[in-house]
Amino acid sequence: MEIEAETHPLDKYLRTDRIPHIWCPGCGLGTVLNCFLHALEESDIDLKNLAIVSGIGCTGRVAGYLNVDSYHTTHGRAIPFATGLKLANPKLKVVVFSGDGDLFAIGGNHFIHAARRNIDMTVICVNNYNYGMTGGQLGPTTPLEAKTTTSPYGNVEHPFNLCHVAAASGAVYVARWTALHVRRLKESMKEALNKKGFTFIEVIASCPTTYGRRNKMPTGLDTMRYYKEKSVIKHGIDPSEADIEIGGDIIVGKFVDIEKPTFDEILKKLEEKIK
Amino acid sequence: MRKEIKFSGFGGQGIVLMGNIAARASAIYDGKNAIFTPSYGPEARGGAASSNVVISDDEIDYPYVTEPDVLVAMSQEAYEKYAPMLKDGGLLIIDEDLVKLKNGEGKVAKVPATKIAESLGKRIVANIVMLGFFTAVTKLISYEAIKKAVLESVPPKFKELNEEALDKGYERGKKVKDGKNGKMA
Amino acid sequence: MIKFYSGNIACAEGAIAAGCRFFAGYPITPSTEIAEHMALRLPQVGGIFIQMEDELASMAAILGASWGGMKAMTATSGPGLSLMQENIGLGAMTETPCVVVDVQRAGPSTGMPTLIGQADVMQARWGSHGDYEIIALSPSSPQECFDLTIKSFNLAEEYRVPVILLMDESVSHMSEKVIIPPKEKIKIVERKKPKVKPSEYLPFKADDYVPPMACAGEGYAVHVTGLTHDEKGYPQATSPEVQEKLVRRLCDKIRKNERKLRDIEEFEMEDAKLAIVSFGTTARSCKAAVKRARKRGYKVGLIRLRTIWPFADEYFEKIANEIKQFVVVEVNYGQIKLEVERCVGKKVHLLPKMGGEIHKPEEIYKKIKEVYNGN
């Protein structure tokens, strides 16, 4: 007698033949992906027209697990690839899922320009404060003094405040959560998915294997406890006041939610005009 | 026969347009082979500007002008820079108010192109006056062809002005060619 | 319809005629007029023009647009082509049809931005890392800029590969007669689409080297990755077997079709003892030199490469014995010369030029005499 395995209600969103995923125990990425699947389940998104684009890195692997049209591109170039994809097929809902190094170091220029143009896409940045895939080097979000394999004596660089960068570059929606805030994160994802324009969510997530163990948070649970202790929700705050420092408060919430015509809306109008 | 023509002057005189119109007239309306190559880039913006045309009944292989059969000079600097390139026995055409000849020139045809343009109320059409003159003097391009090419190159409201400029230059050229108004030196 | 176009404008018009409806680019001399003309023309035909923040982004955007279902192009010059290489590699790996126009100027580095070079030949072939094959075509006239741009799109669609149109500054800025055929006379190739249900579709399984392509939004939920991937498109980044099969196919789909892709113009080659090999604008000077030499009784011919990559190995191997001497004329220090030498298995003469101008027919004629008479 064959026993039919019971399927999980969210399996339809996943390429189940690719599970188990490659992420480490205690990594925040599984939680973030889980939130995203719930956000999809609770929104009215046509999966046929959903496209996920990733760059390179641990978060870059998200594209490969989602059972939709998904593009795992080159390091830093997810956003320009997604720009072409979206403009060529405006029916698509395009979501860029990538990491802090991919989106803000090697791909930083593309991020600010896509935000400036207000390309209609949602960018979800999983910020784990370091380059996990390559073994834990410092990145553009590594806090000052944090230890990584390329800052063995402590980081001497000031980090980016991603939400501040996004808001200053012109994003119409900017929110930050940690991997602990699963319900709020899911709600934010739903909002971003349903909003036209360049929407941005930063998710601070644990990386026990390459970041946490060098910074007194050797397990995922330690990091979650830290988030619980330090997170402060401040909706609507000026994101310039939401810098991240070691031991300091982690300010989370929805910071920006404005209306602005998108690139394709303006282009459509122009086309009408010259016809 | 391959004929090489160099139009030259200073930036803002429409030198590049002259070459483009002349080559287009020959290629499209006279049915010959013609190539136009502009001088190009930031180095070409200041000082002497030039544009180059090769006209031939046969296939044109090498596209550039190296020894012009005709040099049109609309500024002193351009004249001094390009006159040494002129082919032996080649024809030099100048705007007589803008170019002072030095010694040892061969065939020269002179026209007060800028003055004629000014008399029409627009100095900017001096290049078209010159094109008319060039057409009549060299006969490398037919009048009908150059006229069509000029008229399709200018905005509708300036068609009349440019046609007049072309004709003034052309008439002047015919007279020079026929030796009625200051022979070709 | 007869037009009087520069090579750059002819290229842009060729793209529109080929069905290109997406252009992403970054201004760079001497290719900029292509972007400018696309900015003017694309909105008139319902297409999209976007000026990106750099060439990295431009190349990524055209790959994205191609997966979004549009025919897409970018245009650049040497320094920009260098920046595009990483995503040209992604294009080759993910088999994304697209056209990259490189209007060659003299390098290395910033070099001579407004003047001709032909030294991107090897970069076009080997510019991205790893083993892959690419198609590159080279026009000698504005007419060919129009025709070969259309051909580039057709080949990109047929072979699912980035096609590089290797123009040069000279051809890009010279204006000449261009005959535009009526729309119905222009042959247009579209990418093969899957005919099976999504559940049966293997996006990277090819029966004849080139798999059918399902774009985003067509219901096939395709996963596309720059990682080594199996026929399903899934990453297999630790399997030498999958790598072997994939890379072999990516290369062989071009290599095994070399004869079909071959596009060579032979001039006065019937009884030639000496062959000039050239491409792009330089080949025009060569033709003038060959005509002159023929008048004086030299048995000289011209082999003009319109397809540069894949290289016509078999063609040159075949004529290696009939032709006593080969002279390669190119505006670089001997890139195609190495290829010809490799194929003909004997020493090949080179008449190089480092850039900034093309050879004058006299120089080539002199070289012909020298080599022919064994001096």
Side-chain angles (χ1 to χ4, degrees):
Chain A
M1 191 178 89
E2 275 187 336
I3 298 169
E4 219 168 281
E6 220 177 302
T7 55
H8 190 278
L10 295 177
D11 273 359
K12 61 183 179 226
Y13 299 108
L14 291 172
R15 298 183 191 274
T16 46
D17 51 353
R18 293 215 57 216
I19 304 295
H21 56 65
I22 62 158
W23 298 317
C24 309
C27 171
L29 273 164
T31 315
V32 179
L33 180 58
N34 195 3
C35 291
F36 186 67
L37 300 186
H38 276 100
L40 289 180
E41 177 79 1
E42 290 172 28
S43 7
D44 205 11
I45 290 197
D46 174 13
L47 287 186
K48 193 180 153 214
N49 285 316
L50 175 66
I52 308 290
V53 184
S54 286
I56 298 294
C58 294
T59 317
R61 294 303 181 95
V62 166
Y65 298 126
L66 286 161
N67 193 21
V68 296
D69 288 309
S70 51
Y71 301 90
H72 180 221
T73 65
T74 40
H75 199 18
R77 320 297 168 217
I79 286 178
F81 184 100
T83 300
L85 190 67
K86 170 68 190 179
L87 296 180
N89 186 351
K91 281 192 323 227
L92 298 175
K93 168 63 63 186
V94 175
V95 179
V96 170
F97 231 116
S98 222
D100 47 294
D102 185 81
L103 288 169
F104 287 92
I106 190 166
N109 200 30
H110 309 310
F111 180 91
I112 61 176
H113 287 284
R116 171 179 66 79
R117 295 182 186 112
N118 199 21
I119 305 284
D120 185 20
M121 63 170 69
T122 295
V123 176
I124 298 169
C125 175
V126 180
N127 176 7
N128 61 8
Y129 297 160
N130 80 129
Y131 286 92
M133 183 73 90
T134 46
Q137 295 75 31
L138 76 91
T141 57
T142 307
L144 203 59
E145 294 174 5
K147 289 200 170 135
T148 71
T149 60
T150 48
S151 59
Y153 309 108
N155 183 20
V156 296
E157 296 183 14
H158 299 283
F160 262 151
N161 167 345
L162 302 185
C163 289
H164 188 194
V165 173
S169 304
V172 294
Y173 181 97
V174 179
R176 175 195 285 156
W177 301 104
T178 75
L180 178 75
H181 299 86
V182 287
R183 277 189 304 275
R184 293 176 195 272
L185 174 59
K186 179 197 72 189
E187 290 305 316
S188 242
M189 284 170 164
K190 279 159 63 181
E191 276 183 15
L193 285 170
N194 286 310
K195 190 173 171 75
K196 244 186 134 25
F198 189 89
T199 56
F200 176 69
I201 301 171
E202 174 187 5
V203 191
I204 294 169
S206 54
C207 178
T209 308
T210 67
Y211 181 83
R213 70 190 165 95
R214 297 189 176 94
N215 292 282
K216 297 178 189 141
M217 278 175 268
T219 69
L221 204 58
D222 298 326
T223 317
M224 289 299 184
R225 265 194 215 104
Y226 181 77
Y227 293 160
K228 186 160 190 267
E229 190 186 314
K230 296 289 183 185
S231 295
V232 184
I233 299 173
K234 288 186 181 176
H235 290 302
I237 193 180
D238 181 339
S240 70
E241 291 163 27
D243 283 352
I244 291 173
E245 287 164 20
I246 287 183
D249 287 347
I250 302 172
I251 295 167
V252 294
K254 180 167 84 177
F255 305 138
V256 176
D257 193 352
I258 57 171
E259 303 300 324
K260 199 160 63 175
T262 64
F263 181 94
D264 36 341
E265 284 169 347
I266 298 171
L267 193 68
K268 272 264 145 47
K269 269 194 196 148
L270 179 134
E271 269 176 24
E272 295 295 317
K273 214 169 78 185
I274 64 163
K275 247 176 206 163
Chain B
M1 263 284 269
R2 178 188 173 105
K3 290 286 176 190
E4 299 188 355
I5 307 143
K6 192 179 225 12
F7 296 95
S8 65
F10 50 78
Q13 278 179 317
I15 299 296
V16 171
L17 186 64
M18 285 174 89
N20 190 300
I21 290 174
R24 185 147 37 85
S26 176
I28 307 277
Y29 300 116
D30 279 342
K32 294 193 183 185
N33 290 305
I35 290 198
F36 157 71
T37 51
S39 56
Y40 176 77
E43 283 85 359
R45 273 181 206 137
S50 79
S51 67
N52 308 287
V53 175
V54 180
I55 293 175
S56 178
D57 297 318
D58 308 319
E59 184 184 11
I60 299 171
D61 299 319
Y62 184 72
Y64 291 109
V65 167
T66 51
E67 263 193 337
D69 295 275
V70 181
L71 170 66
V72 176
M74 293 183 69
S75 79
Q76 189 67 26
E77 193 187 344
Y79 158 67
E80 286 177 19
K81 186 169 176 187
Y82 298 118
M85 288 175 74
L86 194 62
K87 197 179 198 165
D88 285 344
L91 173 66
L92 173 66
I93 300 177
I94 57 166
D95 184 320
E96 62 188 45
D97 300 310
L98 300 177
V99 176
K100 215 172 137 193
L101 292 176
K102 301 193 163 176
N103 294 331
E105 306 302 340
K107 277 189 283 177
V108 183
K110 302 174 184 176
V111 57
T114 306
K115 251 193 204 146
I116 292 173
E118 279 167 355
S119 76
L120 296 172
K122 286 269 184 212
R123 167 189 274 242
I124 189 93
V125 292
N127 59 342
I128 304 300
V129 174
M130 184 56 103
L131 267 182
F133 184 78
F134 161 86
T135 303
V137 169
T138 65
K139 297 196 164 166
L140 289 172
I141 302 166
S142 72
Y143 171 75
E144 293 69 33
I146 197 83
K147 188 168 173 177
K148 278 184 199 160
V150 167
L151 294 184
E152 72 183 11
S153 308
V154 298
K157 63 175 181 174
F158 293 115
K159 275 200 191 333
E160 214 170 300
L161 171 71
N162 279 278
E163 193 171 348
E164 210 181 339
L166 184 76
D167 286 348
K168 287 257 188 223
Y170 188 76
E171 281 155 27
R172 184 82 177 203
K174 258 171 54 185
K175 280 182 193 162
V176 168
K177 186 84 183 163
D178 302 341
K180 283 178 195 152
N181 192 358
K183 275 175 70 159
M184 270 161 55
Chain C
M1 198 168 41
I2 303 177
K3 293 282 185 184
F4 193 70
Y5 281 153
S6 70
N8 276 342
I9 303 301
C11 166
E13 285 295 331
I16 303 271
C20 171
R21 290 298 177 268
F22 187 92
F23 182 98
Y26 186 79
I28 182 167
T29 303
S31 76
T32 309
E33 294 87 357
I34 299 175
E36 288 172 343
H37 199 68
M38 292 305 265
L40 187 77
R41 291 284 278 120
L42 278 173
Q44 298 171 351
V45 295
I48 289 161
F49 170 89
I50 184 167
Q51 184 170 316
M52 297 302 285
E53 52 275 15
D54 54 34
E55 287 89 347
L56 308 159
S58 304
M59 190 61 216
I62 68 165
L63 296 182
S66 186
W67 283 101
M70 275 186 174
K71 290 189 184 176
M73 172 170 107
T74 187
T76 188
S77 183
L81 187 67
S82 297
L83 291 178
M84 287 177 182
Q85 290 300 343
E86 66 164 356
N87 284 317
I88 288 176
L90 180 67
M93 186 62 146
T94 56
E95 302 180 71
T96 309
C98 59
V99 174
V100 178
V101 181
D102 173 30
V103 183
Q104 297 172 93
R105 63 193 222 189
S109 190
T110 313
M112 304 172 90
T114 62
L115 297 176
I116 185 179
Q118 292 184 318
D120 299 350
V121 173
M122 286 296 173
Q123 195 197 9
R125 170 66 186 86
W126 302 104
S128 202
H129 55 277
D131 258 328
Y132 66 101
E133 289 272 347
I134 204 119
I135 297 171
L137 312 179
S138 170
S140 289
S141 63
Q143 180 71 54
E144 283 190 350
C145 289
F146 180 83
D147 297 340
L148 294 189
T149 301
I150 296 173
K151 188 172 180 183
S152 296
F153 274 98
N154 287 345
L155 294 177
E157 294 289 318
E158 185 179 351
Y159 290 93
R160 284 189 62 182
V161 71
V163 175
I164 299 181
L165 184 69
L166 274 176
M167 286 172 51
D168 57 49
E169 185 276 330
S170 291
V171 81
S172 82
H173 285 142
M174 70 170 68
S175 296
E176 227 175 359
K177 219 181 291 191
V178 176
I179 297 165
I180 314 273
K183 215 177 152 190
E184 62 277 9
K185 288 269 163 69
I186 298 175
K187 184 189 152 207
I188 302 289
V189 177
E190 304 289 347
R191 61 194 67 169
K192 234 185 331 179
K193 307 300 289 179
K195 292 194 178 89
V196 298
K197 285 185 293 189
S199 56
E200 292 161 14
Y201 176 52
L202 290 172
F204 292 91
K205 183 177 188 313
D207 297 326
D208 60 344
Y209 294 116
V210 186
M213 177 171 176
C215 295
E218 292 177 356
Y220 284 86
V222 175
H223 182 56
V224 176
T225 176
L227 286 167
T228 294
H229 46 272
D230 58 22
E231 290 177 335
K232 214 168 174 184
Y234 286 4
Q236 299 291 350
T238 54
S239 165
E241 292 77 24
V242 173
Q243 167 80 358
E244 179 79 19
K245 199 172 166 197
L246 175 64
V247 175
R248 245 177 216 282
R249 182 173 65 74
L250 294 181
C251 291
D252 284 350
K253 77 174 172 184
I254 306 299
R255 282 186 194 181
K256 303 270 189 209
N257 283 304
E258 187 278 316
R259 208 175 298 171
K260 255 177 86 185
L261 291 162
R262 194 180 300 166
D263 188 355
I264 287 172
E265 186 202 35
E266 288 184 340
F267 177 69
E268 299 277 14
M269 281 299 291
E270 303 75 33
D271 60 343
K273 289 193 169 127
L274 184 153
I276 301 279
V277 183
S278 194
F279 59 97
T281 312
T282 314
R284 299 174 72 121
S285 284
C286 296
K287 201 168 187 179
V290 167
K291 284 177 185 170
R292 189 178 303 186
R294 277 278 169 184
K295 271 188 197 154
R296 288 162 180 79
Y298 293 96
K299 291 189 170 171
V300 179
L302 170 66
I303 297 166
R304 179 164 75 88
L305 305 175
R306 261 189 304 240
T307 295
I308 305 264
W309 305 118
F311 201 72
D313 287 24
E314 188 193 47
Y315 169 85
F316 281 101
E317 282 160 15
K318 269 195 184 146
I319 62 167
N321 290 328
E322 302 157 36
I323 305 296
K324 239 174 101 186
Q325 283 153 319
F326 289 90
V327 179
V328 179
V329 183
E330 48 190 334
V331 184
N332 62 54
Y333 210 174
Q335 299 192 8
I336 287 295
K337 182 242 184 193
L338 289 175
E339 287 299 293
V340 177
E341 213 159 58
R342 180 176 63 74
C343 299
V344 301
K346 59 184 170 192
K347 190 180 155 45
V348 165
H349 298 270
L350 173 68
L351 185 61
K353 206 170 258 296
M354 296 315 121
E357 59 178 6
I358 60 170
H359 303 69
K360 295 199 176 70
E362 302 88 86
E363 300 171 54
I364 302 164
Y365 175 60
K366 209 179 122 207
K367 183 78 178 176
I368 291 171
K369 279 200 301 187
E370 240 176 65
V371 174
Y372 201 91
N373 298 325
N375 298 325

